[in-house]
Amino acid sequence: MTRYGPMYGPDVTLLGVPPCTVTEPVTYTDADVVIIGAPFDGGTSHRPGTRFGPSAIRQACYLPPDGSRPSLALRVDPLRDLCVYDAGDVEMFAGDIERSLAALESAVYAVASAGAIPVVLGGDHSIALPDATGVARRHGFGRVSLVHFDAHADTGDIEFGSLHGHGQPMRRLIESGAVRGDRFLQLGLRGYWPGPDTLAWMAAQRMRSYEMTELVARGLDACLSEAFGIATDGCGGVFLSVDVDVVDPGMAPGTGTPEPGGLTSRQLLDAVRRVCYELPVVGVDVVEVAPPYDHADITAYLGNRVVLEALSAIARRRRDAAGGSPWDPTQPLLDAR
């Protein structure tokens, strides 16, 4: 079977990394990370357009697609220090959400079973259900915690008569047992949804949800440190799910459900770096980039940099674990050169 490639846009890989075919594990046996596109917006409750997200994230860079991106901050080149492949897009038909989510779960599970970290480019947030489930099937149900950056809790029950949609994946993950409610950490919630009944359900699951007021009052770093302690208690791996609408729409306008008052792009990148450097991350997704509402590719660039920040931190974590001097964020850029 040939590599499917992208559904919407040119057949390019993330910044020029080598291609692979998800149904042919021999094409990525040496992979540390496999990029998977999930071009799906059939789960949106408001503005669609995230089907174009994977293509936009792959291409959003002013540098050539040469398979190299040295991180000035972390002193690694994640696309070369890690073995990264791009499997193209999973075929996801917006008119059949159950079939589409099942196809994505199979792809994520195949990559995780090969020993690589799946990094999924969305797509609306309904894809978090197959993403985290596919990883949990490899590492064990209830053994993977979830760190979730989002303006919205995504713990709704039924939307438009369906159990599946971008406002419901976190409830479905907990109900299925793939992720424990008491190992579910949400950061950046704000606005005017969900209502009391859904919040009561979340509390009953013992979820830990950091609303923006708490993040501001206590400080993002303090809340992250607390969340990290919960995430690693009794779980062997962490799945990171990043909805770009966690960032204020002034810095990330290209998304379907914008909510004013969010994190800055700098705060999100720093937080993603900490997650992937300090925690044993076994899967990542970046969702809700909707290019039709973007201005000057601002949100696509942010999505691209979220992926690079995650990969750079994973690469640096592995380098430090192999010995030598650990990363020092206070070290001047040109020291020892």
Side-chain angles (χ1 to χ4, degrees):
M1 181 176 178
T2 58
R3 174 174 176 271
Y4 189 78
M7 289 185 69
Y8 306 103
D11 189 3
V12 296
T13 63
L14 176 76
L15 304 175
V17 302
C20 69
T21 302
V22 76
T23 56
E24 299 176 7
V26 67
T27 64
Y28 54 94
T29 54
D30 58 341
D32 296 307
V33 173
V34 175
I35 307 296
I36 301 171
F40 187 75
D41 56 16
T44 55
S45 59
H46 187 41
R47 303 190 304 195
T50 54
R51 68 180 65 186
F52 304 108
S55 181
I57 293 170
R58 285 185 174 105
Q59 298 179 77
C61 191
Y62 53 82
L63 296 169
D66 57 1
S68 173
R69 285 299 182 274
S71 168
L72 295 180
L74 288 154
R75 279 76 163 177
V76 293
D77 186 334
L79 303 186
R80 292 190 174 176
D81 293 349
L82 299 173
C83 188
V84 182
Y85 290 91
D86 191 326
D89 288 348
V90 174
E91 185 176 1
M92 302 184 76
F93 173 52
D96 192 339
I97 191 168
E98 292 187 358
R99 186 188 77 179
S100 295
L101 298 186
L104 180 57
E105 181 181 326
S106 294
V108 171
Y109 176 65
V111 168
S113 296
I117 298 173
V119 175
V120 185
L121 312 180
D124 70 52
H125 219 157
S126 61
I127 71 166
L129 172 60
D131 293 344
T133 300
V135 170
R137 283 173 57 192
R138 165 65 177 83
H139 295 278
F141 271 37
R143 293 287 300 154
V144 176
S145 61
L146 204 145
V147 176
H148 171 208
F149 289 89
D150 204 327
H152 311 100
D154 292 353
T155 49
D157 190 6
I158 299 174
E159 186 78 30
F160 303 136
S162 176
L163 291 171
H164 300 294
H166 73 166
Q168 299 138 278
M170 308 315 173
R171 182 183 288 242
R172 302 287 93 88
L173 280 169
I174 293 172
E175 289 177 338
S176 72
V179 180
R180 292 166 46 181
D182 62 351
R183 294 298 177 269
F184 216 114
L185 296 311
Q186 302 182 308
L187 299 106
L189 305 188
R190 60 190 187 275
Y192 301 89
W193 183 89
D197 290 347
T198 300
L199 292 174
W201 181 89
M202 293 165 61
Q205 313 311 309
R206 299 173 61 198
M207 298 177 72
R208 183 61 171 99
S209 301
Y210 295 84
E211 196 265 342
M212 276 301 301
T213 304
E214 181 180 359
L215 292 181
V216 171
R218 296 181 56 197
L220 177 59
D221 277 338
C223 293
L224 283 172
S225 296
E226 180 179 276
F228 290 0
I230 299 170
T232 53
D233 182 8
C235 289
V238 174
F239 188 93
L240 171 63
S241 187
V242 178
D243 185 331
V244 294
D245 73 20
V246 75
V247 172
D248 190 274
M251 295 185 178
T255 192
T257 49
E259 183 63 56
L263 298 177
T264 66
S265 56
R266 177 71 266 162
Q267 286 176 309
L268 176 60
L269 293 174
D270 286 345
V272 167
R273 180 191 299 168
R274 278 198 63 188
V275 171
C276 293
Y277 180 69
E278 298 181 31
L279 299 179
V281 170
V282 292
V284 178
D285 65 24
V286 180
V287 304
E288 297 290 350
V289 173
Y293 316 107
D294 215 356
H295 169 69
D297 300 327
I298 293 171
T299 316
Y301 269 90
L302 177 60
N304 179 281
R305 276 5 188 203
V306 167
V307 173
L308 282 178
E309 205 67 46
L311 296 183
S312 296
I314 291 168
R316 185 71 211 202
R317 176 182 172 90
R318 293 188 180 189
R319 176 184 290 187
D320 289 2
S325 300
W327 175 58
D328 178 3
T330 68
Q331 182 184 17
L333 174 64
L334 302 181
D335 271 13
R337 292 182 183 269

